[in-house]
Each structure stands twice: as C-alpha cells, then as structure tokens.
Amino acid sequence: MTTDKYTTETITDVRPWTDSLFSFRTTRDRGYRFVPGQFARIGVRDPHTDETVWRAYSIASASYDEHLEFFSVVVPGGAFTSRLSRLREGDPILVERRSYGFLTTDRFESGRDLWMLATGTGLAPFLSILHEFETWERYENLVLVQSVRTQSELAYEELIGSFDKSEYYAAFAQKLRYVRIVTREPVPGALRDRVTKLLASGVLEENVGLKLDHDRSRIMLCGNPEMVEDSRKLLTGRGFRVSRRGDPGHLAVENYW
Ligand code: NAP
C-alpha cells in the first residue's frame, strides 16, 4: 500500500557483516529525495499484530543510486531490529516520503578539510556523503574515522579503500584519509583508543597528518550518543561551534539512537 505519508518498497538484498551487523537494500520510489547525510524513517509490519513500527535509519547509499541502502545493528532484546534482521529479499518495507536530519555538508560554509567521525553504524551517513561528487570537489581533504569494537565490525572497509580504483572517484581519491579504530582487539594499522581520547590527546590529528583548525576544519559526528556528546564538548571547548539554521559553524552532529 502507498499513501501520502509513505511508499511500500521491497527488500532487494541483505548483507550480513557479523552476527549482529547487517546492511540491506530496498527499492526506491522515483520521487524519493534526500541530501546525503540525512535519514529515512522506515516501517516494518508485525505479522502478528499487523501494527507497523517505525524507526529512523541513516541512508548509506548515494543520492543518485536507484536503491536505498541502510546499515543496522541487531539490538539485543530489540523487537524492531530483530524483526528487521529476519527480513529477506522480496519482503515489503515502508519508507516515509520525507527525509530528515541536518548531518549534511550544506550546514557548513567554506572550510577545506571535512572530518567525519563515526562509531558503529554511525558510519552510514558518511558513506552517502562520500559518494557525492560535490564532497570531493569542495574539500581538499576528507577524513573518515571509523571506530568499532572488533576487526570483524569494520564493515565497508573494502569499499572505503577502493575509491582509488573507481572510474569515477580515482582522480580525487588521494584526498581521503581513512582512519580505523578497533577498540577491543589489536589490529595492525588501526588505532586502539576511543576517538574521544584520541581527539583530546592530539593523537588523532597526528595520525591523520592534519590539525583541527577553525578556518580549515568542518567536523561531523555520528554514532554512539555518548561519543557524540563527549566529542562535541571537547570540540566546543576548543572553540568549534555547532552549525545552526542560518548560522553556519564548524560542527554537525547526529545521535544514532
Ligand atoms: P558501540 O558500543 O557504540 O561501539 C562502537 C565503537 O564506539 C567502539 O569502538 C566503542 O569503543 C566506541 N565507543 C562507545 N562509546 C564511546 C564513547 N562514549 N566515546 C567514544 N567512543 C565510544 O557499538 P555498536 O555495535 O555500534 O553498538 C553497541 C550497542 O549499542 C548495540 O549492541 C545496541 O545495543 C546499541 N545500539 C542501539 C541502536 C539503536 O538503534 N537502538 C543503534 C546502534 C547501537 P569501546 O569498545 O571502548 O566501547
């Protein structure tokens, strides 16, 4: 069924990353518009009660893709995500016609380096932003920090590492600095401390090879709400300002749950 508020789409692909992390794709209504970094509201019907439960999910796919892609964790004891994780190709899923959220690069003016700091599934909006050509054209450097607990949770690592092999992005690919943080086991080449600690100590900047600077840096935070809050405090303590409507600053944030 399709209404003024939502359309009924179909799951076209499900990709498990670990026992509790998976991505899925759906068909996309031709009229569905979003700005990379925004989230969709998706609805899943409970077959027993026939009730629909809605949740917000950041869109991981590009604005020009014909499909929509989402990245999810199975929340232990969570009815919605466990139901979602059981969906298979061909199953229906509802997508609200409106897209939401302000984790978008149009919140910023000027700036030369775009820093994208993600924990867990908070990576999703940055994948969409990274697939926007304008992002690569507009910034001199793109810094993507992905923090996960274990190596197996480094979802999309291959895709992120393959921009230089892409026909479309190869010319820009040297702009990307990809930092992996794996907090609960040693992984060669990855950092081990939490992103907040790495920010506070200056080790993140050292590792990236760029300084956080009011003129140059525009910073986006997405993921664990405590990480977002603690990083926001750290950065506002260093004089970075959160962007507001009509008042562009240095920071854009999204709590992932
Ligand atoms: P997570 O616990 O958020 O950890 C992901 C990464 O973020 C890890 O490297 C972790 O480091 C780091 N981290 C956690 N808290 C931090 C903080 N305060 N400051 C800096 N870094 C921090 O893992 P997740 O797999 O994304 O999610 C874990 C659980 O959160 C899920 O199992 C689920 O219960 C819940 N969750 C719920 C939703 C929802 O929609 N309700 C969505 C996502 C996740 P450490 O290893 O040091 O902790």
mmCIF file of all heavy atoms in Angstrom, residues 160-179:
data_model
loop_
_atom_site.group_PDB
_atom_site.id
_atom_site.type_symbol
_atom_site.label_atom_id
_atom_site.label_comp_id
_atom_site.label_asym_id
_atom_site.label_seq_id
_atom_site.Cartn_x
_atom_site.Cartn_y
_atom_site.Cartn_z
ATOM 1 N N ILE A 160 35.511 1.501 1.191
ATOM 2 C CA ILE A 160 36.163 2.776 1.527
ATOM 3 C C ILE A 160 37.587 2.792 0.953
ATOM 4 O O ILE A 160 38.070 3.829 0.505
ATOM 5 C CB ILE A 160 36.177 2.987 3.061
ATOM 6 C CG1 ILE A 160 34.741 3.086 3.580
ATOM 7 C CG2 ILE A 160 36.982 4.233 3.436
ATOM 8 C CD1 ILE A 160 34.600 2.866 5.084
ATOM 9 N N GLY A 161 38.221 1.619 0.946
ATOM 10 C CA GLY A 161 39.586 1.540 0.425
ATOM 11 C C GLY A 161 39.651 1.455 -1.090
ATOM 12 O O GLY A 161 40.756 1.387 -1.649
ATOM 13 N N SER A 162 38.511 1.468 -1.748
ATOM 14 C CA SER A 162 38.565 1.225 -3.205
ATOM 15 C C SER A 162 38.184 2.438 -4.048
ATOM 16 O O SER A 162 38.014 2.318 -5.259
ATOM 17 C CB SER A 162 37.671 0.035 -3.562
ATOM 18 O OG SER A 162 36.332 0.388 -3.332
ATOM 19 N N PHE A 163 38.083 3.608 -3.424
ATOM 20 C CA PHE A 163 37.753 4.793 -4.230
ATOM 21 C C PHE A 163 38.816 5.038 -5.305
ATOM 22 O O PHE A 163 38.511 5.511 -6.390
ATOM 23 C CB PHE A 163 37.594 6.031 -3.342
ATOM 24 C CG PHE A 163 36.258 6.090 -2.644
ATOM 25 C CD1 PHE A 163 36.137 5.807 -1.302
ATOM 26 C CD2 PHE A 163 35.111 6.420 -3.359
ATOM 27 C CE1 PHE A 163 34.911 5.845 -0.658
ATOM 28 C CE2 PHE A 163 33.868 6.470 -2.737
ATOM 29 C CZ PHE A 163 33.771 6.175 -1.382
ATOM 30 N N ASP A 164 40.080 4.694 -4.969
ATOM 31 C CA ASP A 164 41.146 4.946 -5.961
ATOM 32 C C ASP A 164 41.063 3.994 -7.160
ATOM 33 O O ASP A 164 41.705 4.220 -8.181
ATOM 34 C CB ASP A 164 42.536 4.880 -5.301
ATOM 35 C CG ASP A 164 42.823 3.527 -4.685
ATOM 36 O OD1 ASP A 164 41.877 2.746 -4.473
ATOM 37 O OD2 ASP A 164 44.006 3.244 -4.425
ATOM 38 N N LYS A 165 40.269 2.966 -7.048
ATOM 39 C CA LYS A 165 40.118 2.047 -8.187
ATOM 40 C C LYS A 165 38.833 2.321 -8.961
ATOM 41 O O LYS A 165 38.531 1.647 -9.950
ATOM 42 C CB LYS A 165 40.122 0.597 -7.683
ATOM 43 C CG LYS A 165 41.494 0.191 -7.148
ATOM 44 C CD LYS A 165 41.458 -1.151 -6.441
ATOM 45 C CE LYS A 165 42.563 -1.272 -5.422
ATOM 46 N NZ LYS A 165 42.284 -0.541 -4.149
ATOM 47 N N SER A 166 38.077 3.295 -8.498
ATOM 48 C CA SER A 166 36.807 3.563 -9.150
ATOM 49 C C SER A 166 37.010 4.514 -10.326
ATOM 50 O O SER A 166 37.725 5.508 -10.228
ATOM 51 C CB SER A 166 35.850 4.195 -8.140
ATOM 52 O OG SER A 166 34.980 5.075 -8.793
ATOM 53 N N GLU A 167 36.351 4.198 -11.407
ATOM 54 C CA GLU A 167 36.428 5.010 -12.619
ATOM 55 C C GLU A 167 36.056 6.469 -12.319
ATOM 56 O O GLU A 167 36.628 7.407 -12.850
ATOM 57 C CB GLU A 167 35.428 4.396 -13.615
ATOM 58 C CG GLU A 167 35.406 5.006 -14.969
ATOM 59 C CD GLU A 167 34.259 4.393 -15.798
ATOM 60 O OE1 GLU A 167 33.782 3.290 -15.453
ATOM 61 O OE2 GLU A 167 33.871 5.050 -16.759
ATOM 62 N N TYR A 168 35.079 6.655 -11.416
ATOM 63 C CA TYR A 168 34.546 7.989 -11.170
ATOM 64 C C TYR A 168 35.312 8.773 -10.105
ATOM 65 O O TYR A 168 35.419 9.988 -10.163
ATOM 66 C CB TYR A 168 33.069 7.896 -10.768
ATOM 67 C CG TYR A 168 32.265 7.174 -11.808
ATOM 68 C CD1 TYR A 168 31.821 5.873 -11.595
ATOM 69 C CD2 TYR A 168 31.990 7.786 -13.029
ATOM 70 C CE1 TYR A 168 31.110 5.203 -12.562
ATOM 71 C CE2 TYR A 168 31.281 7.121 -14.009
ATOM 72 C CZ TYR A 168 30.843 5.830 -13.774
ATOM 73 O OH TYR A 168 30.159 5.172 -14.736
ATOM 74 N N TYR A 169 35.818 8.076 -9.088
ATOM 75 C CA TYR A 169 36.407 8.777 -7.942
ATOM 76 C C TYR A 169 37.934 8.784 -7.942
ATOM 77 O O TYR A 169 38.541 9.492 -7.145
ATOM 78 C CB TYR A 169 35.911 8.152 -6.630
ATOM 79 C CG TYR A 169 34.413 8.226 -6.443
ATOM 80 C CD1 TYR A 169 33.602 7.151 -6.785
ATOM 81 C CD2 TYR A 169 33.806 9.373 -5.940
ATOM 82 C CE1 TYR A 169 32.223 7.218 -6.622
ATOM 83 C CE2 TYR A 169 32.437 9.447 -5.776
ATOM 84 C CZ TYR A 169 31.657 8.360 -6.122
ATOM 85 O OH TYR A 169 30.295 8.427 -5.967
ATOM 86 N N ALA A 170 38.555 7.967 -8.807
ATOM 87 C CA ALA A 170 40.017 7.779 -8.727
ATOM 88 C C ALA A 170 40.783 9.107 -8.771
ATOM 89 O O ALA A 170 41.755 9.286 -8.027
ATOM 90 C CB ALA A 170 40.478 6.855 -9.844
ATOM 91 N N ALA A 171 40.306 10.052 -9.575
ATOM 92 C CA ALA A 171 41.024 11.316 -9.719
ATOM 93 C C ALA A 171 41.073 12.103 -8.415
ATOM 94 O O ALA A 171 41.955 12.930 -8.207
ATOM 95 C CB ALA A 171 40.363 12.159 -10.811
ATOM 96 N N PHE A 172 40.119 11.851 -7.523
ATOM 97 C CA PHE A 172 40.041 12.588 -6.256
ATOM 98 C C PHE A 172 40.573 11.775 -5.076
ATOM 99 O O PHE A 172 40.749 12.301 -3.982
ATOM 100 C CB PHE A 172 38.588 12.896 -5.891
ATOM 101 C CG PHE A 172 37.821 13.721 -6.876
ATOM 102 C CD1 PHE A 172 36.782 13.165 -7.603
ATOM 103 C CD2 PHE A 172 38.118 15.062 -7.044
ATOM 104 C CE1 PHE A 172 36.050 13.936 -8.484
ATOM 105 C CE2 PHE A 172 37.388 15.839 -7.913
ATOM 106 C CZ PHE A 172 36.350 15.277 -8.640
ATOM 107 N N ALA A 173 40.725 10.464 -5.286
ATOM 108 C CA ALA A 173 40.835 9.521 -4.152
ATOM 109 C C ALA A 173 41.955 9.854 -3.181
ATOM 110 O O ALA A 173 41.863 9.534 -1.993
ATOM 111 C CB ALA A 173 40.985 8.099 -4.669
ATOM 112 N N GLN A 174 43.014 10.535 -3.655
ATOM 113 C CA GLN A 174 44.123 10.840 -2.734
ATOM 114 C C GLN A 174 43.706 11.840 -1.664
ATOM 115 O O GLN A 174 44.427 12.048 -0.691
ATOM 116 C CB GLN A 174 45.372 11.309 -3.515
ATOM 117 C CG GLN A 174 45.431 12.756 -3.917
ATOM 118 C CD GLN A 174 44.412 13.130 -5.003
ATOM 119 O OE1 GLN A 174 43.828 12.262 -5.653
ATOM 120 N NE2 GLN A 174 44.206 14.426 -5.203
ATOM 121 N N LYS A 175 42.548 12.441 -1.800
ATOM 122 C CA LYS A 175 42.066 13.374 -0.772
ATOM 123 C C LYS A 175 41.580 12.669 0.487
ATOM 124 O O LYS A 175 41.417 13.302 1.526
ATOM 125 C CB LYS A 175 40.874 14.192 -1.313
ATOM 126 C CG LYS A 175 41.220 15.137 -2.443
ATOM 127 C CD LYS A 175 40.013 15.994 -2.775
ATOM 128 C CE LYS A 175 40.374 17.026 -3.827
ATOM 129 N NZ LYS A 175 39.317 18.035 -3.987
ATOM 130 N N LEU A 176 41.293 11.363 0.369
ATOM 131 C CA LEU A 176 40.688 10.649 1.501
ATOM 132 C C LEU A 176 41.727 10.089 2.465
ATOM 133 O O LEU A 176 42.656 9.390 2.050
ATOM 134 C CB LEU A 176 39.807 9.502 0.975
ATOM 135 C CG LEU A 176 39.137 8.623 2.040
ATOM 136 C CD1 LEU A 176 38.154 9.430 2.897
ATOM 137 C CD2 LEU A 176 38.405 7.442 1.384
ATOM 138 N N ARG A 177 41.583 10.402 3.750
ATOM 139 C CA ARG A 177 42.409 9.807 4.809
ATOM 140 C C ARG A 177 41.471 8.985 5.681
ATOM 141 O O ARG A 177 40.569 9.545 6.316
ATOM 142 C CB ARG A 177 43.106 10.898 5.622
ATOM 143 C CG ARG A 177 43.988 11.736 4.716
ATOM 144 C CD ARG A 177 44.562 12.928 5.440
ATOM 145 N NE ARG A 177 45.158 13.829 4.451
ATOM 146 C CZ ARG A 177 46.288 14.475 4.621
ATOM 147 N NH1 ARG A 177 46.959 14.348 5.748
ATOM 148 N NH2 ARG A 177 46.757 15.270 3.679
ATOM 149 N N TYR A 178 41.679 7.694 5.654
ATOM 150 C CA TYR A 178 40.774 6.759 6.331
ATOM 151 C C TYR A 178 41.460 6.211 7.579
ATOM 152 O O TYR A 178 42.521 5.593 7.477
ATOM 153 C CB TYR A 178 40.431 5.644 5.343
ATOM 154 C CG TYR A 178 39.615 4.486 5.875
ATOM 155 C CD1 TYR A 178 38.558 4.672 6.773
ATOM 156 C CD2 TYR A 178 39.875 3.187 5.425
ATOM 157 C CE1 TYR A 178 37.803 3.598 7.210
ATOM 158 C CE2 TYR A 178 39.122 2.105 5.860
ATOM 159 C CZ TYR A 178 38.088 2.325 6.754
ATOM 160 O OH TYR A 178 37.341 1.257 7.197
ATOM 161 N N VAL A 179 40.878 6.492 8.737
ATOM 162 C CA VAL A 179 41.466 6.035 9.998
ATOM 163 C C VAL A 179 40.547 4.989 10.619
ATOM 164 O O VAL A 179 39.372 5.260 10.883
ATOM 165 C CB VAL A 179 41.628 7.213 10.994
ATOM 166 C CG1 VAL A 179 42.193 6.722 12.319
ATOM 167 C CG2 VAL A 179 42.510 8.289 10.397
#
